[in-house]
Each structure stands twice: as C-alpha cells, then as structure tokens.
Amino acid sequence: MVDHAFGQKETSIGLTMKETIAEAQRCLHCKVPQCRKGCPIENDIPDFVHEVSMGNFGSAMNIINARSNLPAICGRVCPHEKQCQGHCILGRKGVPVQIGMIEQFVADFDTKMHLTSEKIPQKTRGKVAVIGSGPAGLTVAGDLARQGFAVTIYEGLPEPGGVLMYGIPEYRLPKVVVRAEIKKIEALGVNFVCNCMVGENGVNVDSIFKEGYDAIFMGTGTDVPKDMGDTPNANLLGVIQSTYLLHNFNAYNEGAMSRDMVPVQAGQKVGIIGGGNVAMDAARTCIRLGADVTILYRRTEAEMPSNKEEYALAVKEGVRFSWKTTVSEFIPGSNGWLAGCRLETPEGEKTEKFDRIFLAIGSKPAKRIVSTTSGIKVDDKGYVIISERPYGMTTRRGVFAGGDVVHRPQTVVMAMKAAKQVALGIEQYVDAVKLMKDVGLNIPDA
C-alpha cells in the first residue's frame, strides 16, 4: 500500500497479550451476563473472555466463530459503549471490561498464528447465491457454508468487502484486516465473483437461478446516497457526497487512484452535513488531508447518532461542531462552484464561506435488482419487504434479503444480526423444498 503520510495509521492500536489477559481476568462471570444481552448477535462473551483469561486463545476463537464471521472487524467498529461494554456491570463504576479490545486481539492473533482450522461439512445441502459482499452478505455466506451449503458471492466492485473495504477509512478499519477476514470466509469454501454487478449486463435474479441455485440472498445495502435537492443551488460544484470522498480516499491510499481524484485540498474550508458515523469518517478524513473542518448538524450533541468514541476522536483531531444548524441555501461562486452557505443557527441566519460541502445525510437502496426482477415488492421508500416465515424471504419465492436493504442503514453488527436470522430462514426454505420434492410433490422452479 502506498504511504501517503496522511495519518492513516490505525487509531485503535489495541492491547498487548499481557494486557488482554489482564483485562479478561477483570470479568466477574455474572450469573446473568448483561454483556451478552447487549450484543446484537448474542456472542458468548463470558465464555470467550474466560478462555482468554487463561491464555486459551484458540478456544476463545472457536467460541467467537460460533456466532461471528467478522470478529476482527466487530472488535474495531462496533459501538461497544452502546452494546456489550455498555451493559457490563463494571461500567457502573466507569471501568467496563474492554470486550471489543479483547475480541480484536483474539481475532488478530488467530490470523497471525493460524490457530483455528474449522471442520467444514461437504457442500451437499444446497446451492445459494449471495448478492453483495458487505457485512450482511459475508455473514450469510459464512453461516451457510458452515452448514454444508455451496455459496457464491456476486460483488459489483473489483474487491469484496462492500462498505468495509470502500466506505470505512483505513485509520479506523485497516484494509489488511478486512482482507484477512474475507480470506477466512473464503476458507470455508465460499466462492467470490467480483466485477459482476447484478442488475446490469444481463445478470439478474432470473439468470442466476438458471445456474441451478436453490436460493438467492440480496445483501446489497443502501448504496444510493440521499441529496439535498430541495435546497437552492444544491447542484453546485463542490457539494459532494461523503461516500464519494471516502471511496476515493481509500482507493488513493491503496494506490488505485491519483491524488487529484480526492476532492479536498490542504487549506480548504470544509463543511460536513450530518451527525452519524459517515459524517465523522468524512470529517476526520478531511482533517488528514489538511482541511479546516466543521460539522453542521441539525440537532444537539446528545441527539447525534454517531459513536461516542468517534465523536471524541473527531473533537481531539480538530473537527469543529455547529449544533442546531441547517443549510437553507448553497451560495454560488464563479464557474458554477460553491462559495459558501446560508445557515440557520440558534443565533439566527448567517452566511459562511466553504470551499467544499460533503453530505452525510443517509442513503437508500438502488433499484438495479428490483427493476430487473419480477415479483420483488418494496415499500414506498424502496426498501425490500420480507416475510417472518421463512424469515427474510421476499415476495419472490426463493429470494431472500437482509441488512440495510431491508432494515434501513444501521451498524455493521446490526446488519450481521439480521443476516444470521435470514441464513436460518434460507436453511429452512431449501430443506423444505428438497423434502417436498423427495416425497414426489411438484414444486415449480422459483
């Protein structure tokens, strides 16, 4: 990877082995572990922490693998203060067990030392296609591969990982970590087909079914960012999506894109509209590019949805915040470029100069798959409608969906939680169809 000296060193440096064991030994082994209740995927936290406390990292990894396909990632990007650590009883004294750090160390140590080698059943139970290789797609693929399914992931971009690879900055989630986790998924027998955008060039749900798949999972996320089309002059040059910035900056740091494709220059005054994790990522990235950065958020600090840790780091790195602030107009300069913004603030209306404004106000699903496939219904916002039984199946039989494309944009681990439920639904569906065919019932193709 090209070293551009833009502060891309990981900000979460983790614990040493000695520190990890000592931290694990702080666990009280509660009879009713609240930490597990706080974990969306119900990781067996007390059990793997206990193994770590005795130095049994291989055993700890086996316990983690039973519930999580992406532990090295979850250990870094999960909002632990709201989930496992936020429920730790020691948190009442302000010193919860650092569960995320323990999980991160175990997963990284396993990668370095090749501790675990899972026994995977033969792929005779069924054939499943997964569209999208983000957290939901990888989770479904890993879970089904462990249950004896032959799984192929179709990814439109050159490399798998989705938002993990292209949306989260290197300093928060190193790409070497993402690639290592994906390699473990591949070791389960999962095949990857990249540079294949389903919904384009004749590749769609129907064509995939014709290749003999028993079920298809849509884990395409919400890759169409929302804009501010109702705000005057929102189409000015210099009003840019944060996802475009993050994608290009990640590509630049990988050496796949030139510096002039990153739409921020040192010394520029930048505004970020939004208050979620994408806004924090965009702001901290702009700081690393030498910009002067202000986040413009329409609500208060207490209402901001971003992780508290990411907010604290953004403040520490020099990002300023303007609370209860909305943009009422983008002000044009010369040659169609942005010159500034008219802001509505608690102090009243004011005009402020900005060289760039990055939008981080949410996203919505693309229509590529739905528009090229019959029978998949969506709601009025474009989100896919699914059933409760089998869980995750769309209105098109045999086609399942989960993650952000169903449940609105959420965190990595929440997408994983939904995906685990859908994986079980796929198992039930494929087994049921095969059983009915085995007893001679005529089941038409999906």
Side-chain angles (χ1 to χ4, degrees), residues 244-443:
Y244 178 80
L245 164 70
L246 295 171
H247 183 283
N248 285 22
F249 189 51
N250 282 336
Y252 168 57
N253 275 289
E254 290 290 319
M257 193 172 284
S258 62
R259 173 64 179 87
D260 59 7
M261 292 297 292
V262 182
V264 176
Q265 299 297 323
Q268 287 185 325
K269 185 172 174 57
V270 170
I272 313 286
I273 300 177
N277 288 333
V278 173
M280 299 303 126
D281 287 343
R284 295 175 65 196
T285 295
C286 288
I287 287 288
R288 283 160 173 73
L289 290 163
D292 180 294
V293 184
T294 301
I295 284 184
L296 310 171
Y297 184 54
R298 62 193 175 96
R299 293 177 177 158
T300 65
E301 176 185 342
E303 296 171 290
M304 190 170 57
S306 73
N307 296 352
K308 291 181 180 179
E309 181 183 1
E310 297 306 312
Y311 166 63
L313 288 169
V315 171
K316 182 179 179 181
E317 292 171 6
V319 177
R320 291 192 296 275
F321 289 78
S322 183
W323 308 111
K324 295 185 177 180
T325 299
T326 59
V327 175
S328 59
E329 181 183 359
F330 296 101
I331 300 171
S334 59
N335 300 320
W337 277 90
L338 173 76
C341 297
R342 186 161 286 110
L343 306 175
E344 300 289 342
T345 74
E347 295 78 30
E349 184 179 272
K350 67 177 182 179
T351 300
E352 190 166 342
K353 175 187 178 298
F354 286 104
D355 299 299
R356 296 284 188 276
I357 289 287
F358 290 100
L359 307 180
I361 56 175
S363 54
K364 56 187 178 182
K367 299 179 180 179
R368 286 187 307 271
I369 297 176
V370 173
S371 64
T372 59
T373 303
S374 61
I376 300 178
K377 293 183 179 180
V378 298
D379 64 16
D380 57 355
K381 301 287 187 181
Y383 292 91
V384 177
I385 297 170
I386 62 171
S387 66
E388 288 293 322
R389 183 175 174 84
Y391 187 85
M393 191 160 78
T394 69
T395 50
R396 168 78 181 268
R397 185 165 61 82
V399 179
F400 291 73
D404 290 356
V405 74
V406 172
H407 301 285
R408 275 63 173 166
Q410 298 189 37
T411 61
V412 168
V413 74
M414 292 304 292
M416 292 170 62
K417 175 184 178 181
K420 293 185 79 66
Q421 292 175 295
V422 178
L424 181 58
I426 293 173
E427 290 183 47
Q428 294 170 339
Y429 168 78
V430 174
D431 287 347
V433 170
K434 287 183 177 293
L435 176 60
M436 286 187 287
K437 288 182 177 180
D438 287 346
V439 298
L441 293 177
N442 183 27
I443 306 297

Side-chain angles (χ1 to χ4, degrees), residues 10-24 26 45 48-49 52 57 60 64 71-81 84-85 96-110 172 309-310 313:
E10 184 179 6
T11 53
S12 176
I13 58 175
L15 303 176
T16 65
M17 181 184 293
K18 184 177 181 179
E19 290 169 341
T20 300
I21 293 173
E23 187 65 20
R26 294 181 55 237
I45 294 169
F48 82 69
V49 169
V52 171
F57 298 112
I64 292 171
I73 292 169
C74 288
R76 288 170 165 85
V77 304
C78 275
H80 302 107
E81 75 278 359
C84 53
Q85 287 171 204
V97 175
Q98 299 298 299
I99 298 165
M101 288 288 193
I102 295 172
E103 182 180 33
Q104 176 181 326
F105 179 88
V106 173
D108 289 350
F109 189 75
D110 176 71
R172 194 152 78 89
E309 181 183 1
E310 297 306 312
L313 288 169

Side-chain angles (χ1 to χ4, degrees), residues 190-207:
V190 175
N191 297 313
F192 289 85
V193 179
C194 293
N195 290 308
C196 181
M197 188 70 73
V198 177
E200 297 180 357
N201 302 317
V203 180
N204 54 34
V205 167
D206 294 322
S207 69

